[in-house]
Amino acid sequence: MLKKSMAKVTRTPRRSITFTVEDAPGKQVAVAGTFNDWTPDRPLLDKEGNGIYSCRMMLEPGTYEYKFVVDGEWKLDSNNPNFAPNDLGTLNSVLVVESK
């Protein structure tokens, strides 16, 4: 007879992170990074139609690299002074999510 494990699994609490970028209205904007295997599938929305795009994500504490993808062009986060070189000879923005 097999016994079920009653061990409690502890999950690391996630933090709410808002990504924001400003550009011309009417663009297609996404964010991609180490948190989603560099797949630009997280759209940022311009809800007011004023060129301020944003999205909220829940991320575990850690260090992440990311870029915005605006109409297919990969861009640094101009509001974030933290960046690191990547294997393509360009830079990635760096985000550190602190634990509570």
Side-chain angles (χ1 to χ4, degrees), residues 12-15 59-64 95-100:
T12 304
R14 295 189 203 192
R15 303 281 310 264
L59 296 175
E60 292 183 1
T63 300
Y64 301 93
L95 169 68
V96 177
V97 178
E98 302 287 340
S99 59
K100 289 186 176 181

Side-chain angles (χ1 to χ4, degrees), residues 59-70:
L59 296 175
E60 292 183 1
T63 300
Y64 301 93
E65 293 186 20
Y66 69 98
K67 280 190 167 178
F68 294 118
V69 184
V70 180

Side-chain angles (χ1 to χ4, degrees), residues 6-27:
M6 299 303 281
K8 189 174 186 179
V9 176
T10 304
R11 294 188 66 186
T12 304
R14 295 189 203 192
R15 303 281 310 264
S16 176
I17 303 297
T18 300
F19 291 93
T20 303
V21 64
E22 189 171 346
D23 209 311
K27 303 274 185 172

Side-chain angles (χ1 to χ4, degrees), residues 3-68:
K3 291 185 178 182
K4 290 185 180 180
S5 173
M6 299 303 281
K8 189 174 186 179
V9 176
T10 304
R11 294 188 66 186
T12 304
R14 295 189 203 192
R15 303 281 310 264
S16 176
I17 303 297
T18 300
F19 291 93
T20 303
V21 64
E22 189 171 346
D23 209 311
K27 303 274 185 172
Q28 289 192 0
V29 181
V31 64
T34 52
F35 45 77
N36 65 354
D37 293 324
W38 293 100
T39 304
D41 62 356
R42 296 298 306 221
L44 281 76
L45 303 177
D46 179 8
K47 293 180 181 180
E48 304 290 325
N50 59 1
I52 299 175
Y53 300 83
S54 65
C55 81
R56 190 168 50 180
M57 296 175 66
M58 298 299 290
L59 296 175
E60 292 183 1
T63 300
Y64 301 93
E65 293 186 20
Y66 69 98
K67 280 190 167 178
F68 294 118

